[in-house]
Amino acid sequence: MKTNVSRRGFLGAGAASLGYFYTAPAYSAARLGRKPNETLRFAGIGVGGKGSSDIDQAANLGEVVAICDIDEGRIAPKAEKWPGAKVYYDFRDLLDEMGKEIDAVTVSTPDHTHALASLMAIRMGKHVYCQKPLTQTVFESRVLKEAARQHGVCTQMGNQGSAENGLRRAVELIQSGLIGPVREVHVWTNRPVWPQAPQITSRPDKADPWPKSIHWDQFIGGAPLRPYVAEVYHPFNWRGWWDYGTGAIGDMACHTANMAFRALKLAHPVAVSAESGEVNPETYPAWARVTIEFPAREDMPPVTLTWYEGRENGELVLPPKELQAKILAPGEKLPGSGSILVGDEGILYSPNDYGAKFRIHPEALAEGKNLDTPEHLPANGQGDQGMKNEWVEAITAGKPEIAYSNFDIASLLTEAFLLGNVAIRTGHRLEWDGPALKITNYPEANAFIQTEYRRGWEVTRG
């Protein structure tokens, strides 16, 4: 699909609201695919940090024609690597000027600008690979899913565990009923590993000179403008600030809860609640325990998923010790992240960020079973590069569903866990109407489902 939506026309470019089906013209455009010998032209939006490997891996599958980053020091090595690529510091300018010369984009910016960069590209008919979490807010995730369906583009979220054969096999085994109906899930992380509460609970009382090499207005994006302070927000530490990141649950749930979410066919929760360390208006709390309640699905019973993050009184917040005793050998301890699925007949325990390695308790349930390679789902096993390979395969075939973490599933996964941040901020048990995109029992909390944007950075629906 070749359309050119400029920044000026962006806000008016949305089509009428849609359900869960491609519109006929967009669906047909996606199905056209590409000729086998046609080189894909990529643009990288955010090419430092994780964005470095994302655009490098995309480059293995096509040509990089444009790159963008707010940090000139980070973009310089990429400009040297691809001297023919045009260099930008504002992704809106890149998309305005290069719209007819690119086919697909990687988006690896801080969380708060994922949505706008991806949405602009999608509305121009470009295929999008976006880092996890898909967006910063629940509303933005819904917008990206709807837009991707409407425009028939191929998408992939960068939760690279999705490519692991072990994860895919775990999904199959759970759905086969190996451990019986699952009613209880526990997922934990040792994050945060960046500064936030309790060490930082307010903004710095100073401002540093704005370096010429840092395009600070473009870093701020749609968030309220604030002074530059060296090393406080950029690079990396933005994760701990409400205005820019999504905290530990946003940073890691799309990885560590991914296997359970898929295996149990989870979608919209019906309620979310949380307890946490002291909440302040600037940074994420030191620790949290989030409970997400999901309804029955098909032949699966309702399930409660509990998420654990951070340290309380110096100790990692972890699942109950009585549950740990059922899966750990004498002297064994839980690792810094992992997941436990408790079935009526057994337990699947994954001591792994991605759910790619796991064991079954009691062991007799797994005797003689293949625990390594998917038997029905497509095998991948190529890690982060495999995610890009699958995305490009989808583009080439014109089949968005080939990408295992396309925005249909990625948006549901992201929405469910970002609701945890809403529960943390409000301190209330929130009843959620997923299809209507609203909290029904505490209307004040709906203010956190989406955010306000600075002019020129708006994310709009439809």
Side-chain angles (χ1 to χ4, degrees):
M1 179 179 293
K2 295 284 186 180
T3 58
N4 184 14
V5 182
S6 70
R7 192 194 314 181
R8 291 180 296 276
F10 174 70
L11 296 181
S17 60
L18 64 151
Y20 286 88
F21 302 94
Y22 291 111
T23 60
Y27 182 87
S28 300
R31 290 298 189 225
L32 288 175
R34 296 178 62 82
K35 297 177 182 179
N37 61 349
E38 194 172 358
T39 300
L40 280 170
R41 300 165 300 174
F42 294 106
I45 298 175
V47 297
K50 188 66 185 71
S52 175
S53 60
D54 283 340
I55 192 59
D56 284 354
Q57 290 161 357
N60 292 334
L61 305 166
E63 178 188 4
V64 175
V65 298
I67 49 177
C68 179
D69 202 283
I70 64 94
D71 188 329
E72 294 183 17
R74 289 188 159 206
I75 206 170
K78 301 303 184 186
E80 184 176 348
K81 184 174 185 176
W82 301 300
K86 294 186 178 180
V87 174
Y88 293 87
Y89 306 109
D90 188 323
F91 63 76
R92 299 170 302 172
D93 292 338
L94 184 158
L95 293 168
D96 268 1
E97 296 175 16
M98 296 288 290
K100 294 181 179 180
E101 301 175 53
I102 59 176
D103 303 303
V105 303
T106 61
V107 177
S108 311
T109 62
D111 298 346
H112 70 300
T113 47
H114 282 187
L116 182 58
S118 298
L119 185 60
M120 288 187 70
I122 288 170
R123 287 182 176 166
M124 297 171 73
K126 311 305 175 186
H127 308 288
V128 175
Y129 187 101
C130 182
Q131 258 309 312
K132 58 76 196 168
L134 187 58
T135 60
Q136 191 189 32
T137 71
V138 175
F139 170 80
E140 291 171 341
S141 287
R142 187 69 57 88
V143 169
L144 290 195
K145 177 173 74 172
E146 292 173 347
R149 284 177 173 267
Q150 178 185 349
H151 292 278
V153 297
C154 297
T155 59
Q156 185 90 299
M157 182 173 73
N159 53 342
Q160 59 265 30
S162 298
E164 295 289 341
N165 287 334
L167 176 145
R168 298 184 183 198
R169 184 57 181 150
V171 168
E172 292 177 341
L173 289 171
I174 293 297
Q175 293 181 356
S176 75
L178 179 66
I179 63 171
V182 175
R183 308 173 196 276
E184 180 184 335
V185 177
H186 302 263
V187 187
W188 66 97
T189 182
N190 59 3
R191 268 64 164 185
V193 292
W194 49 80
Q196 59 181 57
Q199 291 82 12
I200 299 176
T201 58
S202 61
R203 300 186 190 190
D205 57 3
K206 66 170 185 173
D208 291 332
W210 187 332
K212 292 182 178 179
S213 62
I214 302 293
H215 295 254
W216 188 240
D217 191 71
Q218 283 69 33
F219 171 88
I220 294 290
L225 190 63
R226 67 173 68 185
Y228 171 83
V229 185
E231 303 297 327
V232 171
Y233 310 110
H234 169 76
F236 186 76
N237 290 339
W238 50 263
R239 289 167 171 81
W241 295 84
W242 288 109
D243 274 357
Y244 311 121
T246 49
I249 195 170
D251 192 65
M252 288 305 296
C254 287
H255 285 316
T256 316
N258 183 27
M259 180 267 287
F261 196 89
R262 292 174 177 278
L264 298 174
K265 302 179 182 179
L266 301 179
H268 299 301
V270 293
V272 184
S273 56
E275 54 180 325
S276 73
E278 185 175 352
V279 177
N280 71 79
E282 293 291 342
T283 61
Y284 287 86
W287 64 271
R289 188 178 292 107
V290 177
T291 301
I292 309 177
E293 303 169 42
F294 293 92
R297 294 93 48 225
E298 299 177 8
D299 59 345
M300 295 181 171
V303 62
T304 298
L305 187 153
T306 306
W307 167 266
Y308 309 82
E309 65 179 55
R311 294 177 180 271
E312 184 180 12
N313 299 321
E315 298 291 331
L316 284 176
V317 181
L318 295 170
K321 291 188 180 298
E322 54 269 26
L323 176 59
Q324 296 183 39
K326 295 179 180 180
I327 60 170
L328 298 178
E332 186 181 13
K333 295 183 178 181
L334 289 181
S337 63
S339 60
I340 302 170
L341 286 70
V342 182
D344 287 357
E345 299 173 23
I347 296 173
L348 185 150
Y349 162 50
S350 174
N352 181 268
D353 271 343
Y354 301 147
K357 302 291 184 182
F358 59 90
R359 63 193 195 212
I360 304 295
H361 298 266
E363 293 180 2
L365 288 177
E367 189 173 347
K369 298 285 186 182
N370 160 30
L371 302 183
D372 301 313
T373 308
E375 296 180 356
H376 307 292
L377 292 168
N380 187 315
Q382 299 175 74
D384 208 8
Q385 180 66 60
M387 294 293 285
K388 279 75 173 184
N389 296 350
E390 217 167 56
W391 175 50
V392 168
E393 181 184 351
I395 294 169
T396 303
K399 296 181 178 180
E401 66 276 10
I402 288 176
Y404 193 50
S405 199
N406 67 71
F407 288 4
D408 275 357
I409 179 69
S411 65
L412 287 170
L413 175 61
T414 302
E415 284 183 29
F417 287 90
L418 290 184
L419 282 168
N421 277 335
V422 180
I424 289 170
R425 295 187 85 160
T426 62
H428 286 261
R429 179 180 182 274
L430 306 174
E431 296 175 4
W432 178 243
D433 182 342
L437 197 65
K438 68 178 181 180
I439 293 160
T440 58
N441 67 318
Y442 187 66
E444 297 93 327
N446 285 306
F448 297 116
I449 297 302
Q450 62 186 107
T451 190
E452 296 182 1
Y453 304 95
R454 288 199 298 155
R455 185 176 180 180
W457 297 89
E458 297 91 343
V459 173
T460 59
R461 192 180 189 186

